[in-house]
Amino acid sequence: MANIHITLLGSQTAPVYLGIMAINPDKVILICSEQTHNEAELIYNEIEIECEIKKFDPVDLDKIDAAIVELKEKTEPGDLISINLAG
């Protein structure tokens, strides 16, 4: 069973970083846009947790939906997924 934390990136990295540290997940998925990719890189380089960055056009709902389906297919029964939408 894995603890996976998905978080949206805005211009403020501190709340995202603190949320990751509070949850202490096994894996982090950072969701960013072209405009917030640098912020995602900052967090990626600061945490010592398995992490991946997913960059999306925030209005391309088809690609976002496909990525959600792909993530769902990669999870195992019993995996715990938390999502921080406040980014």
Side-chain angles (χ1 to χ4, degrees):
M1 177 171 81
N3 181 354
I4 303 167
H5 184 63
I6 302 169
T7 187
L8 301 180
L9 261 291
S11 61
Q12 300 293 320
T13 57
V16 172
Y17 177 82
L18 293 172
I20 292 168
M21 293 299 101
I23 292 171
N24 192 27
D26 301 312
K27 180 177 182 175
V28 174
I29 301 173
L30 301 169
I31 308 294
C32 67
S33 66
E34 185 66 41
Q35 293 79 12
T36 60
H37 188 259
N38 288 338
E39 287 80 359
E41 289 284 338
L42 287 171
I43 292 174
Y44 180 89
N45 291 322
E46 284 296 319
I47 63 175
E48 295 181 6
I49 299 169
E50 179 183 350
C51 184
E52 69 179 274
I53 297 173
K54 297 276 190 179
K55 186 169 25 171
F56 293 101
D57 177 342
V59 296
D60 191 341
L61 298 181
D62 290 333
K63 285 187 180 178
I64 294 169
D65 184 58
I68 292 168
V69 170
E70 179 185 337
L71 173 63
K72 184 178 182 283
E73 291 172 352
K74 289 181 179 180
T75 60
E76 300 290 329
D79 283 352
L80 177 63
I81 299 175
S82 58
I83 303 174
N84 177 355
L85 300 174

